[in-house]
Amino acid sequence: MELKDKLISSFFAFEEGVDSDNGLYDIRNKAIKEFETLGFPNRKDENWKYTSLNSVLKHDYSVFPEKEDAIEYKDIKKYFIHDIDTYDLVFIDGIYSSHLSQTTHDKIDVCLMSSALNHEKYKAVIDNYFNKVAPKSGLNSLNTAFAREGAFIHIHKNKLADKPIQIINFSTGNESALLLQPRNLIVVDENSQVQIIERHQSLTDHPVLTNSVTEIFADKRAIVDFYKIQNDRASASLIDNTFIEQKDESAVSVHTFSFGGKLTRNNLNFYQKGERIDSTMKGVTIIEDKQHVDHNTLVHHIEPNCESHQDYKGIYGDRSTGVFNGKVVVEKEAQKTNAYQSNNNILADDKATINSKPQLEIFADDVRCSHGCTIGQLDEEALFYLQSRGIPRKEARGLLMYAFANNVLESVRIPEVKKRINKLIASKLEVDLGFNL
């Protein structure tokens, strides 16, 4: 049985456990019909031209894990940003782990999607925001059909989240192959602020495919900092769908650090629905072997006097492949828009490839917009200079690549996250910077 047919059959079993009076019952049923029509994307879709899911979809994935696995904190501590105090939402094979998590309902809500979907207290937020910004697609509809668990974060008006929030999804490998579909909803009300760190991590080499959907709503003057750490095993694949709607004077930044995994696809869409909005997307990709990372971004400037900034750096070794497909749309009404897009890449080996397609669609006449892309190898003169100072060629290459990638970290606002990413970059490039790795 093909995976698509298996998922449709599994949905009917899942549906039997859902109350038909639940407000999401109709949404889920509509979503599975959309998935049945649309299916999985393929290379005939222009946005998936350079990324094929064939090698990922061939496995016989379990849709629901058989049992919850008990994991001790000491065994997974290294995956947390543990040198700062955080709220933690931890999921094991898609199931919430209460003994590894720390939630709160004190002035802010950091809790489970399952609680929000089934509790009257959260009904207004769910009705107003759930499934409202994620566009219709096969993958989004599939996630919506099976949506039952993930992170629900609501920062109430005029509130500052007193510490960062970590969302970590572990897969144990108890199943021979597992499909996970976390669903996150993050609502940040007017004049409020939050910092979020997200990670997906396999604990064995069994295949795992994660199809994640995150919706973020930033109201007037809200500030959201989101950090994605993608450093999984070579058997794990991730399709990360993040959709962000912003209101007047809000500022949202998303930093994506892609260092591991078999196939990683990041769909990141910003919709600016107000004036004086700032949207920031930055990323560092360092991969090797036959790894594949695809960044697909969209910034939709709808109203005037807004800004967007994109800066993605990539280093590709061995036979790895990268994709950057960045699109900026400026509507006719969006005068005084400032939009900047940059994608710079280093091919560390002759057989590595990168497909970069920066795009601007501008319908306004009073804007400042730019985009640029570079693809090349290391500067031989710079290498020679370092070697002339007694630095071996391998170390010199690592230092130059580290300097190339590291400046993206300047806008990271959590020092402990910056330190962790510094360590990961240095480790990936085999550069000794005095860190205790």
Side-chain angles (χ1 to χ4, degrees):
M1 182 184 294
E2 290 188 359
L3 180 58
K4 178 183 175 181
D5 296 328
K6 179 178 180 178
L7 289 168
I8 294 170
S9 299
S10 298
F11 174 79
F12 295 113
F14 169 73
E15 187 184 33
E16 290 178 359
V18 178
D19 184 0
S20 60
D21 292 330
N22 187 295
L24 296 182
Y25 184 84
D26 291 338
I27 294 176
R28 287 192 173 106
N29 276 272
K30 179 181 178 182
I32 197 65
K33 292 176 182 176
E34 291 172 350
F35 172 69
E36 187 172 9
T37 300
L38 298 170
F40 291 103
N42 57 53
R43 286 187 167 179
K44 293 180 181 179
D45 183 338
E46 182 65 25
N47 285 333
W48 289 82
K49 182 177 180 180
Y50 300 109
T51 298
S52 171
L53 295 179
N54 290 342
S55 64
V56 173
L57 300 179
K58 67 181 181 181
H59 300 288
D60 183 21
Y61 292 105
S62 296
V63 181
F64 306 112
E66 292 184 0
K67 63 177 181 178
E68 182 178 358
D69 193 10
I71 296 178
E72 297 299 323
Y73 178 73
K74 62 181 177 62
D75 298 324
I76 56 174
K77 179 181 178 181
K78 63 182 180 180
Y79 300 117
F80 289 78
I81 308 293
H82 53 76
D83 40 3
I84 53 173
D85 189 19
T86 59
Y87 295 113
D88 299 324
L89 287 164
V90 180
F91 304 91
I92 301 173
D93 291 341
I95 300 173
Y96 174 66
S97 174
S98 58
H99 77 283
L100 293 173
S101 302
Q102 180 190 1
T103 61
T104 183
H105 298 281
D106 182 17
K107 300 179 182 179
I108 64 174
D109 291 314
V110 180
C111 63
L112 308 182
M113 181 61 79
S114 57
S115 298
L117 293 176
N118 297 293
H119 200 292
E120 188 66 26
K121 174 183 177 181
Y122 306 106
K123 186 178 186 304
V125 176
I126 294 296
D127 289 347
N128 286 334
Y129 297 106
F130 181 82
N131 205 42
K132 292 297 192 295
V133 69
K136 184 172 72 173
S137 75
L139 291 168
N140 294 340
S141 297
L142 176 62
N143 180 284
T144 300
F146 286 92
R148 64 173 181 175
E149 198 55 283
F152 175 83
I153 298 170
H154 182 199
I155 311 300
H156 296 265
K157 185 177 179 179
N158 300 323
K159 300 298 179 184
L160 168 67
D162 54 323
K163 50 189 178 181
I165 300 166
Q166 293 193 85
I167 306 169
I168 305 184
N169 295 273
F170 291 104
S171 56
T172 62
N174 287 340
E175 310 285 341
S176 58
L178 182 63
L179 172 63
L180 296 174
Q181 300 201 81
R183 182 66 173 243
N184 304 318
L185 178 60
I186 300 163
V187 179
V188 185
D189 287 345
E190 188 175 335
N191 299 321
S192 298
Q193 183 173 348
V194 68
Q195 296 176 319
I196 299 170
I197 306 160
E198 182 185 48
R199 183 164 187 160
H200 302 270
Q201 184 63 50
S202 301
L203 302 178
T204 73
D205 289 329
H206 286 180
V208 58
L209 170 60
T210 301
N211 176 37
S212 175
V213 172
T214 299
E215 294 179 291
I216 301 174
F217 295 85
D219 208 335
K220 295 179 180 179
R221 295 175 294 281
I223 300 175
V224 181
D225 291 325
F226 204 115
Y227 303 96
K228 297 176 180 288
I229 302 176
Q230 300 169 345
N231 190 32
D232 214 337
R233 294 171 179 253
S235 56
S237 296
L238 170 65
I239 303 171
D240 186 286
N241 308 285
T242 301
F243 308 101
I244 300 165
E245 182 178 298
Q246 294 182 247
K247 297 296 186 181
D248 298 85
E249 300 181 60
S250 62
V252 178
S253 66
V254 177
H255 290 71
T256 305
F257 303 103
S258 303
F259 303 135
K262 178 180 180 179
L263 181 149
T264 303
R265 165 76 176 216
N266 290 300
N267 296 315
L268 178 58
N269 292 12
F270 279 75
Y271 304 96
Q272 296 186 338
K273 296 186 176 181
E275 296 191 39
R276 295 176 295 281
I277 290 172
D278 188 278
S279 305
T280 299
M281 290 149 281
K282 295 192 176 185
V284 176
T285 300
I286 305 175
I287 55 175
E288 55 193 357
D289 297 328
K290 294 183 180 180
Q291 293 175 308
H292 179 95
V293 172
D294 181 344
H295 295 288
N296 191 285
T297 70
L298 167 68
V299 184
H300 194 172
H301 290 269
I302 301 171
E303 299 192 32
N305 303 306
C306 295
E307 295 191 5
S308 65
H309 305 265
Q310 297 185 60
D311 187 8
Y312 283 80
K313 298 287 184 70
I315 299 175
Y316 303 92
D318 299 326
R319 294 174 178 267
S320 63
T321 57
V323 181
F324 176 79
N325 189 359
K327 187 174 184 179
V328 176
V329 178
V330 182
E331 296 291 354
K332 183 178 180 180
E333 295 77 12
Q335 304 292 343
K336 305 293 184 182
T337 289
N338 294 334
Y340 306 98
Q341 185 185 84
S342 176
N343 175 228
N344 300 300
N345 306 280
I346 290 177
L347 301 181
D349 292 285
D350 293 339
K351 294 183 179 180
T353 60
I354 170 70
N355 296 285
S356 184
K357 186 182 177 183
Q359 304 173 71
L360 294 177
E361 292 187 9
I362 303 172
F363 302 98
D365 53 18
D366 185 8
V367 301
R368 288 191 296 174
C369 299
S370 67
H371 64 179
C373 166
T374 62
I375 301 171
Q377 297 177 326
L378 290 174
D379 186 340
E380 286 295 329
E381 290 187 5
L383 273 174
F384 177 78
Y385 175 82
L386 291 176
Q387 288 178 274
S388 70
R389 295 299 185 268
I391 300 175
R393 184 175 178 84
K394 180 181 178 181
E395 283 74 11
R397 281 171 54 87
L399 285 171
L400 287 176
M401 288 189 287
Y402 176 85
F404 167 79
N406 185 255
N407 69 344
V408 171
L409 298 183
E410 292 176 359
S411 54
V412 174
R413 293 189 176 94
I414 304 177
E416 292 81 4
V417 171
K418 184 180 293 188
K419 181 179 178 181
R420 173 64 63 89
I421 300 303
N422 257 313
K423 288 183 178 183
L424 288 173
I425 293 175
S427 178
K428 290 286 292 185
L429 299 176
E430 299 182 345
V431 176
D432 184 3
L433 298 176
F435 293 128
N436 294 318
L437 298 171

